[in-house]
Amino acid sequence: MQNLLHLSLVSSNPFSQSQKKKKMVASWPEPIVSVQALSQAGVSTVPNRYVKPTHQRPVYKSDQSGLDMEIPVLDMSDMWRNPEGLKRVRKACEEWGFFQVVNHGVDHGLMERVRGAWREFFDLPVEMKRKYANSPDTYEGYGSRIGVVKDAKLDWSDYFFLNYLPSSIRNLSMWPSQPPKIRELIEEYGEEVKKLCERLVETLSESLGLEPDHLMKAFGGEDKVGASLRANFYPKCPQPHLTLGLSSHSDPGGITIVLSDENVAGLQVRRGDCWVTVKSVPNALIVNIGDQVQILSNGIYKSVEHQVIVNSGMDRVSLALFYNPRSDIPIGPVEELLTDNRPALYKPIRFDEYRLMIRQKGPSGKNQVDSLLAST
């Protein structure tokens, strides 16, 4: 939701042999500038490094038919072990790759508190936030860019990225200590969303006609999955028609759970040739399918392009939890979903190799997963 919004970069084995053999970039190609600081300084024009090419700029036309559509809203209690509910899940995953869930089991008050805590963090002086400045070798910490391509067009956003699962790879020294209790809120929220992810993976498995634990086993097992958290801050922008808060991409991991800003719209989902602006349902969480589930389902379920627009009047905060397969096992189409008419569409690849492409190039639509098509 990123991800990008959702960017899923955590590894359940961050020092796997395949990564050791690859040369990781230790520093950014240009000095990092806080986008929030630019906004607070009152710049009247968007600096050129954030101005997108014409074909990548956001669409705001009110007559675009896609703007009248809405992603599905599903009741988690209705789709849990319910054949009719599972049909609705399948339809949403096949046609949209996105849906909102209500009755999801995550405490509504906790959702509000953790979102508020991250807003307080981004309101801290920039010197305090820079204590957690990140680098492209892990992305963990406070940052303002994705990808290490020199002179790339950047997004109008700041973020904080941290590793969450497995607990053995948490680097608490990189977790913010201010505002008070933010670490406790991260832990509490992460645990509740982890439980939701486990239920969702089981639900997705059943909706594909598989055994409930089939996809989780393909992920490597509950105790081996990876998860990461990304808090996003999209500052007010003087020329929102020229840039994006987050460029078009599909999330590289398994599934993403997004806690959106209920007061400020921004997330857009591609629907054919249109961009649909998501209208948040109170107390709902947004779920989107990642590239790894598209690969495992052999293209039955879609990881759909999405992006984030910004505006000139209000800042926006969102939080994405990325739930991913174990990093060091090959991920390929599930054998039970292959037929003579639909052979394997994708080449197997380890998640640590797959996410490395994102780290190097940044958001790039559907180019990454399409590069794994067996015919290429």
Side-chain angles (χ1 to χ4, degrees), residues 19-30:
Q19 279 189 299
K20 286 181 179 179
K21 295 176 183 178
K22 296 178 182 291
K23 183 178 180 181
M24 301 299 290
V25 178
S27 61
W28 302 107
E30 296 112 355

Side-chain angles (χ1 to χ4, degrees), residues 129-252:
K129 292 179 289 191
R130 282 181 175 154
K131 293 178 181 178
Y132 304 98
N134 69 351
S135 62
D137 58 343
T138 66
Y139 273 82
E140 190 160 23
Y142 174 66
S144 295
R145 71 173 291 162
I146 300 167
V148 293
V149 176
K150 187 175 175 58
D151 298 323
K153 294 295 184 181
L154 304 182
D155 292 332
W156 191 262
S157 63
D158 295 335
Y159 65 86
F160 200 105
F161 177 86
L162 54 86
N163 293 329
Y164 188 75
L165 289 177
S167 58
S168 60
I169 67 168
R170 294 178 191 173
N171 180 4
L172 294 183
S173 67
M174 290 299 292
W175 289 32
S177 60
Q178 295 292 327
K181 296 189 176 180
I182 188 170
R183 290 184 178 181
E184 291 89 343
L185 286 168
I186 291 170
E187 173 79 21
E188 187 178 354
Y189 178 77
E191 286 305 300
E192 291 205 12
V193 177
K194 181 193 77 167
K195 294 175 184 176
L196 172 61
C197 288
E198 290 169 354
R199 290 180 64 195
L200 282 167
V201 171
E202 186 172 324
T203 300
L204 293 177
S205 191
E206 288 190 291
S207 69
L208 285 165
L210 303 170
E211 291 297 315
D213 62 351
H214 198 118
L215 286 185
M216 185 61 77
K217 287 181 177 178
F219 271 37
E222 286 183 14
D223 59 337
K224 299 294 184 181
V225 296
S228 57
L229 202 68
R230 177 177 153 128
N232 306 288
F233 186 84
Y234 304 101
K236 291 181 285 188
C237 179
Q239 296 174 300
H241 60 287
L242 296 180
T243 189
L244 287 166
L246 188 60
S247 296
S248 171
H249 67 285
S250 61
D251 287 355

Side-chain angles (χ1 to χ4, degrees), residues 56 68 71 76 99 119 121 125 152-153 166 173 178 185 243 247 262 264-265 267 273-274 292 308-309 331 368:
Q56 293 180 4
D68 297 327
I71 67 173
M76 192 72 195
F99 53 90
R119 181 171 283 279
F121 170 81
K153 294 295 184 181
S173 67
Q178 295 292 327
L185 286 168
T243 189
S247 296
E262 292 187 354
V264 187
L267 175 61
D273 294 329
C274 299
Q292 304 306 303
V308 177
I309 57 175
I331 299 295
Q368 181 159 306

Side-chain angles (χ1 to χ4, degrees), residues 238-339:
Q239 296 174 300
H241 60 287
L242 296 180
T243 189
L244 287 166
L246 188 60
S247 296
S248 171
H249 67 285
S250 61
D251 287 355
I255 58 173
T256 304
I257 309 296
V258 179
L259 174 59
S260 191
D261 192 319
E262 292 187 354
N263 299 313
V264 187
L267 175 61
Q268 290 189 324
V269 176
R270 181 180 284 282
R271 177 74 165 169
D273 294 329
C274 299
W275 286 102
V276 178
T277 301
V278 175
K279 300 173 184 177
S280 294
V281 173
N283 299 318
L285 290 166
I286 299 169
V287 180
N288 67 276
I289 300 301
D291 292 346
Q292 304 306 303
V293 169
Q294 176 169 324
I295 292 167
L296 285 164
S297 71
N298 203 35
I300 296 173
Y301 287 174
K302 307 295 191 298
S303 60
V304 172
E305 282 181 78
H306 49 287
Q307 63 184 22
V308 177
I309 57 175
V310 292
N311 68 83
S312 59
M314 299 182 73
D315 299 329
R316 182 172 178 272
V317 173
S318 69
L319 187 62
L321 186 139
F322 306 101
Y323 193 76
N324 306 321
R326 178 175 167 175
S327 68
D328 59 350
I329 57 174
I331 299 295
V334 171
E335 185 176 351
E336 287 81 353
L337 299 177
L338 305 183
T339 66

Side-chain angles (χ1 to χ4, degrees), residues 40 65 146 180 290 361 365:
Q40 291 174 338
S65 60
I146 300 167
K361 298 179 181 179

Side-chain angles (χ1 to χ4, degrees), residues 349-368:
I349 188 171
R350 290 188 298 270
F351 184 54
D352 54 8
E353 293 181 283
Y354 190 80
R355 70 162 181 265
L356 186 60
M357 294 189 279
I358 283 276
R359 289 186 176 185
Q360 293 172 333
K361 298 179 181 179
S364 57
K366 292 285 291 182
N367 290 340
Q368 181 159 306

